[in-house]
Amino acid sequence: MLDKETFKRTEGKLYGYFRDLKEMEALELECKDLQEQEESIWWDIKNSSEKEDVKEIKELENELKYVNRKFRKNMARIRQLKRNMAPLKKVLTVPPLSEEIMQFIIYKYKLNKGVGWIANEMYGGARSTAYRFREDILKDIVKWEMVYGDNQTK
């Protein structure tokens, strides 16, 4: 049985992992949009004649600087999220977890479903089985963290 603090800390890591994963996906989408904007701005700059308003070209160049700055900032955040997620990602992917365990983890920590809902969905309403399974999953995660994750000496 896990002590209360370890239990809460481990659950917090799982919630944080999926929150960070969601943020990373959103940032990657935004970066893709920023790259498209950059191409569009470059096209506008290249296809504007020298006779066109210098002020307009300067505005396009400033917009390009903004887009590039935003892109670099997003990429830095993505790298930071990947570094933060690496230990738990290793714990969730390196030991081959059963489909049932992964489904439970996804329902509980990614989709924020309650244990009662999970009991109905996976165990025919057996709440005690769902609570026991959650406890077992968290014990395994703590065990694998000691092997792969945060508790590793550097």
Side-chain angles (χ1 to χ4, degrees):
M1 180 147 185
L2 292 175
D3 64 90
K4 200 172 192 173
E5 188 176 315
T6 303
F7 184 89
K8 283 184 176 184
R9 182 176 38 82
T10 305
E11 273 204 319
K13 286 180 184 180
L14 285 166
Y15 282 119
Y17 173 82
F18 286 107
R19 182 194 60 237
D20 290 352
L21 193 61
K22 188 175 182 177
E23 181 184 351
M24 198 169 71
E25 289 169 0
L27 287 170
E28 286 172 345
L29 263 174
E30 187 176 354
C31 284
K32 189 175 180 180
D33 289 343
L34 289 168
Q35 285 176 321
E36 290 171 5
Q37 289 177 29
E38 180 185 29
E39 289 174 19
S40 174
I41 294 168
W42 271 116
W43 189 88
D44 287 347
I45 290 172
K46 287 177 183 175
N47 290 312
S48 49
S49 66
E50 293 178 17
K51 296 178 185 176
E52 283 192 43
D53 191 9
V54 174
K55 183 180 176 186
E56 184 178 321
I57 293 173
K58 187 69 176 166
E59 286 175 5
L60 286 169
E61 289 171 346
N62 287 337
E63 185 179 358
L64 184 62
K65 285 179 189 175
Y66 170 78
V67 167
N68 285 330
R69 188 171 39 248
K70 181 82 171 157
F71 179 80
R72 285 191 311 273
K73 203 172 180 183
N74 285 354
M75 291 305 293
R77 178 68 177 148
I78 289 170
R79 286 189 301 273
Q80 177 188 15
L81 289 171
K82 282 183 178 181
R83 279 190 301 274
N84 293 345
M85 292 169 51
L88 195 54
K89 182 178 183 177
K90 202 180 292 181
V91 168
L92 292 175
T93 57
V94 171
L97 299 176
S98 72
E99 191 176 319
E100 182 183 16
I101 291 173
M102 282 311 295
Q103 192 63 49
F104 189 99
I105 289 171
I106 288 169
Y107 282 152
K108 178 72 177 133
Y109 303 104
K110 183 177 183 179
L111 302 176
N112 294 313
K113 300 293 184 184
V115 175
W117 185 92
I118 295 169
N120 287 333
E121 186 71 21
M122 294 178 70
Y123 306 110
R127 293 173 67 100
S128 60
T129 302
Y131 279 106
R132 191 171 43 253
F133 198 63
R134 177 180 69 167
E135 177 85 16
D136 291 344
I137 289 170
L138 293 177
K139 280 183 197 173
D140 283 348
I141 289 173
V142 168
K143 178 183 78 175
W144 286 109
E145 270 187 326
M146 289 181 191
V147 174
Y148 296 119
D150 292 341
N151 300 331
Q152 200 173 26
T153 56
K154 294 182 180 180

